[in-house]
Amino acid sequence: MKAIALSFVFVLALSALSFGQKDKSKRASPPDRATVTTTDGVTIDINYSKPSLKGRKIGVDIAPFGKVWRTGANEATTFEIDKDVLIQGKPLPAGKYSLYSIPNEQNTTIIFNKVWDQWGTQYDEAQDALRVVATASENAQSVEQFTIRADKAGTVTLLWGPYSVPFTVKAAK
């Protein structure tokens, strides 16, 4: 009888483990990655999930203006740099951070938080490493699915709906 009970517990544990390792690409907000080595030698690696608008309005129905947003979906978006950098001219040490933001129509506060290995809604302001402000502009075409781009010049751009929010990443000298 004990052997049957132990076998049952083992099967349940194995099922739970395999359930937790489900294919993330099948999610409604699939994972994506933006990675680049800039011309000044900084490697930027951003891992995030891509929510879609699905008829919702940014600032109202999703990513509400004036409130902290997880800057993606699912697990916290991670932002990793291999060198000390200047973000919008402000210093950020090499390391891995979670990326949050406070969107508004004209600008967005970009937040680099020290706690990166967490679900995206578990934000703790006391763990912020840096906050910078980036100016928002309008896209020529609306972007349905949230996208992050990073280029060799060190510009990281958040794109979603009618908004484009670029910020600069430069090697600290």
Side-chain angles (χ1 to χ4, degrees), residues 130-142:
L130 178 66
R131 285 181 173 216
V132 297
V133 176
T135 302
S137 61
E138 286 202 23
N139 292 321
Q141 280 189 299
S142 185

Side-chain angles (χ1 to χ4, degrees), residues 11-12 14 28 43 46 50 57 74 78 108 123 128 140 145 162:
V11 168
L12 279 178
L14 193 58
T43 298
I46 305 167
K50 300 176 68 148
K57 185 174 180 186
N74 305 319
T78 60
T108 295
Y123 171 73
D128 287 356
Q145 199 169 41

